[in-house]
């Protein structure tokens, strides 16, 4: 059915008005009808779709390299004991050092007295415990200072300098303190104390060069810092045993010398008899 002329004219005029209305609207007008809660951005969608790596892969697959487990973590009960000691060292360093020194000096003195083959003397053990407790913290601070200094580009040079400084400074001072304190606590005079230091320190210092340089080099090279005191303590049991034995030998020599002097002083002075005097006069005539 053909449309009439007025109806066709109204349809064309209405389409023309709609085109004019659309053309007059600003370009940003359609954005007014957009919701403020827009959808996710493309980058966010990509991040959500992207698979996340696993938090950890406890089981290596194929040729995945596995880091080697250090020797300190493969010793079972010893590892746990060392870790407990390291925690105590970090939490209470001074108290831990004093307790360690008491154990070391107790074991060393008992060993030295057993080696001597004589009756056990508790007073000697008490003297050793006092000496060890007093020297524990200074010894610890010395080795902490030594580990923080003399660190050069060459590891060999660093270790060599640390060894020389330790043997020239620490060893003679500590040995003098050890033997001097032993003599003073035993009730000897200052002259007797100096005589014991003079006779024992040079011998112990020379013998220290045979042991402690190797111990120091191994400790600073392979032993972690929190376990160095444990390692040195194990070696120190043997070393303190030697020092206690050396101190005991000096005490025995002093006792023998004192007995000789007492015996000579107790003898009556020799007097010439009259017969001997007459015989001497006749020879002179």
């Amino acid at each position: 059915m053909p449309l009439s002329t007025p109806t066709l004219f109204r349809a064309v005029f209405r389409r023309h008005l709609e085109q004019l209305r659309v053309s007059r609207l600003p370009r940003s007008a359609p954005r007014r009808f957009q919701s403020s809660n827009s959808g996710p951005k493309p980058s966010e969608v990509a991040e959500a779709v992207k698979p996340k790596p696993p938090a950890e892969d406890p089981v290596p697959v194929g040729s995945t390299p596995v880091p080697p487990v250090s020797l300190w973590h493969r010793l079972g009960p010893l590892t746990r004991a060392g870790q407990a000691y390291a925690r105590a060292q970090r939490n209470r360093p001074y108290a831990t050092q004093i307790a360690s020194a008491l154990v070391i000096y107790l074991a060393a003195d008992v060993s030295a007295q057993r080696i001597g083959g004589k009756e056990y003397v508790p007073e000697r053990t008490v003297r050793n415990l006092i000496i060890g407790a007093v020297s524990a913290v200074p010894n610890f601070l010395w080795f902490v200072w030594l580990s923080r200094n003399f660190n050069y580009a060459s590891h060999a040079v660093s270790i060599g300098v640390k060894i020389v400084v330790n043997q020239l400074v620490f060893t003679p001072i500590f040995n003098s303190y050890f033997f001097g304190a032993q003599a003073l606590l035993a009730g000897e005079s200052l002259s007797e104390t100096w005589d014991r230091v003079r006779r024992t320190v040079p011998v112990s210092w020379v013998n220290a060069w045979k042991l402690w340089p190797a111990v120091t080099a191994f400790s600073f090279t392979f032993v972690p810092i929190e376990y160095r005191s444990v390692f040195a303590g194990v070696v120190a049991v043997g070393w303190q045993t030697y020092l206690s034995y050396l101190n005991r030998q000096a005490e025995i020599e002093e006792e023998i010398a004192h007995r000789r002097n007492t015996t000579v002083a107790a003898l009556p002075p020799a007097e010439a008899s009259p017969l001997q005097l007459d015989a001497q006069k006749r020879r002179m005539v």
Side-chain angles (χ1 to χ4, degrees):
M1 179 179 179
L3 297 174
S4 60
T5 302
T7 302
L8 181 60
F9 179 76
R10 284 195 300 268
V12 172
F13 181 72
R14 188 178 297 166
R15 184 179 297 177
H16 182 67
L17 288 177
E18 291 177 358
Q19 292 178 355
L20 290 175
R21 188 182 301 169
V22 173
S23 63
R24 289 180 180 180
L25 290 175
R27 294 182 179 179
S28 61
R31 297 182 181 178
R32 292 182 300 176
F33 301 98
Q34 295 179 356
S35 175
S36 58
N37 298 327
S38 59
K41 298 180 181 180
S43 60
E44 296 178 354
V45 175
E47 290 293 334
V49 175
K50 184 179 179 181
K52 296 182 179 180
E56 58 180 354
D57 189 7
V59 181
V61 179
S63 60
T64 304
V66 179
V69 181
S70 62
L71 177 62
W72 304 103
H73 295 85
R74 292 184 293 177
L75 299 179
L78 293 179
T79 299
R80 290 190 291 272
Q83 291 173 349
Y85 184 90
R87 288 193 298 269
Q89 177 68 35
R90 290 191 296 267
N91 296 331
R92 298 179 179 85
Y94 295 160
T96 304
Q97 289 300 316
I98 293 175
S100 302
L102 293 177
V103 174
I104 291 170
Y105 279 76
L106 175 63
D109 184 72
V110 171
S111 300
Q113 294 200 42
R114 290 180 63 88
I115 292 174
K118 294 187 177 182
E119 186 179 356
Y120 176 73
V121 182
E123 292 79 5
R124 282 189 54 194
T125 303
V126 174
R127 292 199 298 267
N128 276 277
L129 292 177
I130 294 174
I131 293 171
V134 172
S135 64
V137 175
N139 291 357
F140 170 70
L141 295 178
W142 164 260
F143 283 102
V144 169
W145 178 83
L146 190 64
S147 64
R148 295 176 178 175
N149 293 275
F150 309 107
N151 297 313
Y152 306 105
S154 173
H155 179 72
V157 174
S158 302
I159 295 299
V161 174
K162 292 176 188 291
I163 290 173
V164 172
V165 172
N166 187 67
Q167 293 301 115
L168 294 181
V169 178
F170 175 78
T171 300
I173 293 176
F174 174 78
N175 290 358
S176 300
Y177 158 75
F178 178 83
F179 293 111
Q182 288 278 3
L184 290 176
L185 292 176
E188 298 185 3
S189 62
L190 292 178
S191 60
E192 293 173 338
T193 300
W194 167 248
D195 182 66
R196 181 178 299 188
V197 170
R198 181 181 57 82
R199 288 186 294 107
T200 55
V201 170
V203 178
S204 62
W205 183 75
V206 171
N207 290 330
W209 281 95
K210 304 174 184 178
L211 173 66
W212 286 107
V215 174
T216 304
F218 185 89
S219 176
F220 281 99
T221 303
F222 299 106
V223 182
I225 187 171
E226 62 268 20
Y227 298 111
R228 286 175 185 170
S229 57
V230 179
F231 175 74
V234 174
V235 180
V237 171
W239 177 248
Q240 292 299 332
T241 301
Y242 164 73
L243 292 182
S244 298
Y245 177 76
L246 190 63
N247 180 75
R248 181 55 184 165
Q249 294 299 114
E251 291 177 349
I252 293 174
E253 292 177 1
E254 291 173 1
E255 291 175 359
I256 294 174
H258 181 71
R259 290 175 183 175
R260 289 178 180 175
N261 294 334
T262 304
T263 303
V264 172
L267 292 176
E271 296 181 357
S273 62
L275 297 176
Q276 293 176 346
L277 293 176
D278 293 341
Q280 291 179 358
K281 290 179 180 179
R282 292 173 183 176
R283 291 176 183 176
M284 293 175 63
V285 173

